[in-house]
Amino acid sequence: MKPLKTYAVLPSLPEALEPLRRVATDLHWAWAHDAIALLRRLDDELWEQSGHNPVAMLGIVSQDRLNEAAADPAFLAHLDRVATSFDRYRQRENTWFQRTHGDDNGLLVAYCSAEFGLTECLSIFAGGLGILAGDHLKSASDLGIPLVGVGLLYQEGYFRQRLNQAGWQQEHYIQNDVHNLPVQQERNGDGEPVSIEVPFPDRSVKAYVWRADVGRITLYLLDTNHPDNDEVDRAITRQLYGGDGENRLRQEIVLGIGGVRALDAVGVEPTVFHMNEGHSAFLVLEYIRKLMESEGMDFAAAREAAAGIVFTTHTPVPAGHDYFSPELIQRYLGHYATAVGIGIDDLLAMGRKHPSDDAEQFCNTVVGLRSAATSNGVSRLHGAVSRQMWQELWPELPVDEVPIGSVTNGVHFESWISVELKELYDRYLGPQWTDEPAETTVWSRAASIPPAELWRTHQLRRNRLVSFTRRKLAESLASRGAPQSEIDIADVVLDPNALTIGFSRRFATYKRATLLLRDPDRLASILNNSERPVQIIYAGKAHPQDDEGKELIRSIIELARRRPDLRRRLVFIADYDMAVTRSMVQGSDVWLNTPVRPLEASGTSGMKAAANGVLNLSTLDGWWDEAYEPDVGWAIGRRETYTDDKARDDFEAHALYDLLEREVVPLFYDRGVDGLPRRWIERMQASSEKLNSQYNTHRMVREYTERYYLPVSDRRARLLADDCKRARALAEWRQRVTAAWPHLRVVEVLADGHNGTLLVDEEVEVQARVHLGDLTPADVTVELYGGVVTADGEIADGVPLAMELADTDPVGRGEWMFRTAAAFQRTGQSGFTIRVLPSHPDLASPMIPGLIAWA
């Protein structure tokens, strides 16, 4: 039965508690320990029952309890402290960005992502990509970066995990009650809901715009559950990554094109769009269309003017990128291509590695890489992997010069560090650890934390993790109909004093969750050592379509059930979420990570663990490849490469067992007369001192701001100034250079003889005669590219050296001489070649696919 009229029913708060409403509706509480303590103080049981959702909790708490709290001086004092702290945070003017860059640079970043992991009660994320996006917003808020977020408000969000009696993962979805979430519907001046329209074949799809306040940051979320849409279109934002490939395309059109239109509708004009992975890539088309409409440009000029794009790729696995058939793109975006004055083949070329290959599928990552002013991976190793992975876009370039950089991920410390450790850090590191966690001087004080206090704090958190795990295990067993005898065992699994290994993440096969279980007998001997016991806690979800990942989960549960000697030492926590992650990264002793190198782009769970003083034990992949030092944790393997997967897994499992038996376990149980594992504690302190200043999102967001956001925003402003004069000129220049490039060639290279030998650092004079045809020397950069020559005759790790114009007049028809002096710093076989790149002061990068010529 449909209602005739609907109302938004709000909790009736006593006047003295009105500040609670302000606190509950801004997600700043998600990283404010004192605010969470206040909400627990109001009703701890309801806090858990509501899924840590203060908006829902205020809707179900009894009026008697509210009246009681309103009359409690201690509660009101706590509320006043939280509200005052929150207001001070929102109004603070001397943020890092203001101190460093002022307020008059015009920067405004739109950070676009298919998922945002801000808190467990707002289920619009699946895993690491979303958690990273959420932490990005939180640090941007702390630092005062002018930034808004753009995403989708899913009606069901990601699935909840249940395990059946056999241990097989089953998915169920819970409807997001948006009116009881910490989000608000955006309304116009007349109080009407703001909605936008996105063009689809033969129709427009409408989407409401919602707003989540994240401290100083606003996150705008689109929702197609609009009464004017048909059932198919209302379901576009039903589930995160839900439906088939066609619905995935619909979602990404709404996110990209709809996201730009939503910002227009609320009066936000970004100077930079940051695409967090390729899901929002269609914003490029809307960005170009807007400029064509507002500035009267053609497509080519508008594409140059659409300069404010930063693109981050997260996935080193080809299957992790979105690909769509040409037919599907034509059906959904053919009309859009017509509207912007290009053919469908031109649009398809934007998303193909080989633009003229009619059979190649359309890839959103390629759109991002082709369109962005800057692109990056999320760790140094991932940057290198991405350059190799996408080199086909720049086939003329050596792989190390492919224009994909790296910004290593981080984590937002206040969201993940336990309240007990926070108090310890406050006492010994001072307030700077929250305000300036990227400063190395802050973490140099970690060694001053008394070992006994640090260990006592850590033991308390391990005890809490054991209690949490027992409760979650009992709930999971009961929900899948386990016998009472099995449920009773949950009360006695794990030992609060035993060395505890944590492993929680997405159960993709390349992460090898069961590497530690490869030899159950050897594992049992490690876990059941009566003097030095060890235990393992697992948690994680497999993708709904990933049966291999589900089989990994089932095998863990089956092993624990089949082997009585493992049952109390090996536990799997069902329904992995942010709350589970927090408990595990705060209470484990060792954080285990076993991906196949180099398939882990970054991996931030280990950073969360390190921030809590937990030691990492990992293969050298993702962030750990650059972070590892012998005194901060352990490395499994030494960057070896294998052609045999089984041999690799056997070797690395053996190495893992050896590390546990010979180093990790003995170090943990090496106790002094005072009962403290002092050498273990020294590693905890070294980990904090050496890792925490680098692997946090404050450092990460500062790096994005200074390396990418500000320069990209400045370049956009230059191109748009004076009626887009420079953008129009750049488009004309590109068309002219592209037409002339096939006729460009290096005609002759002259170099000093030296009888084929040189001394180290001895200079050699080099001249190059280059046929430029209709181009001028100002249109190009001529470079000597030299380095060590490998056994197969290739220049390895080449270094470019710009050559100068030798004469102001051409030496022949369209031919010019360039010269330089080069030297080599290493003995052995070295050599050089000559290359020509396009050159224009307004280019974001001279590495333009198809416009690189080698001698």
Side-chain angles (χ1 to χ4, degrees), residues 459-478:
Q459 284 182 305
L460 174 65
R461 297 181 305 167
R462 191 191 315 113
N463 287 343
R464 186 182 296 124
L465 172 59
V466 168
S467 298
F468 175 84
T469 304
R470 289 171 175 172
R471 184 178 74 252
K472 294 285 287 186
L473 179 60
E475 291 171 357
S476 176
L477 290 168

Side-chain angles (χ1 to χ4, degrees), residues 451-647:
E453 285 192 59
L454 181 58
W455 191 245
R456 189 163 56 246
T457 298
H458 185 64
Q459 284 182 305
L460 174 65
R461 297 181 305 167
R462 191 191 315 113
N463 287 343
R464 186 182 296 124
L465 172 59
V466 168
S467 298
F468 175 84
T469 304
R470 289 171 175 172
R471 184 178 74 252
K472 294 285 287 186
L473 179 60
E475 291 171 357
S476 176
L477 290 168
S479 71
R480 65 185 193 239
Q484 189 60 44
S485 59
E486 194 173 342
I487 296 173
D488 291 342
I489 292 177
D491 290 335
V492 293
V493 299
L494 306 178
D495 176 351
N497 297 307
L499 170 61
T500 302
I501 299 172
F503 183 105
S504 72
R505 54 188 41 84
R506 183 167 56 90
F507 266 61
T509 50
Y510 79 85
K511 294 178 183 283
R512 297 187 300 179
T514 56
L515 187 71
L516 183 57
L517 314 182
R518 202 165 179 84
D519 185 342
D521 292 332
R522 189 173 179 185
L523 176 64
S525 70
I526 294 172
L527 302 190
N528 291 310
N529 186 307
S530 59
E531 296 181 355
R532 302 187 306 192
V534 179
Q535 55 202 14
I536 311 161
I537 302 173
Y538 280 100
K541 293 177 177 177
H543 188 277
Q545 275 82 54
D546 184 4
D547 284 347
E548 289 183 278
K550 292 180 182 180
E551 175 57 28
L552 293 175
I553 294 172
R554 190 207 62 78
S555 67
I556 293 170
I557 293 165
E558 173 61 22
L559 179 63
R561 179 183 293 151
R562 189 178 74 247
R563 296 277 301 249
D565 56 340
L566 297 178
R567 192 169 299 157
R568 297 185 182 186
R569 300 285 184 197
L570 175 61
V571 177
F572 185 92
I573 301 177
D575 206 18
Y576 172 56
D577 64 6
M578 288 179 76
V580 171
T581 302
R582 269 193 297 272
S583 291
M584 291 186 65
V585 298
Q586 291 171 6
S588 299
D589 297 298
V590 171
W591 197 253
L592 179 64
N593 192 26
T594 51
V596 175
R597 176 186 165 92
L599 301 183
E600 182 89 285
S602 179
T604 56
S605 64
M607 301 177 191
K608 300 177 182 79
N612 279 285
V614 177
L615 301 182
N616 277 269
L617 169 59
S618 174
T619 50
L620 290 167
D621 198 11
W623 80 287
W624 194 237
D625 181 70
E626 64 193 76
Y628 168 71
E629 294 183 30
D631 62 338
V632 300
W634 295 272
I636 304 167
R638 289 292 183 271
R639 302 183 179 92
E640 300 90 347
T641 57
Y642 298 86
T643 56
D644 184 325
D645 292 350
K646 182 180 181 302

Side-chain angles (χ1 to χ4, degrees), residues 33 414 417-435 443 445 449:
H33 288 89
E414 286 191 275
I417 286 175
S418 69
V419 64
E420 296 84 8
L421 191 60
K422 175 190 182 303
E423 292 169 355
L424 207 59
Y425 283 166
D426 286 346
R427 194 154 58 247
Y428 291 101
L429 306 186
Q432 264 193 305
W433 81 268
T434 57
D435 296 336
W443 297 101
R445 303 173 201 144
I449 301 175

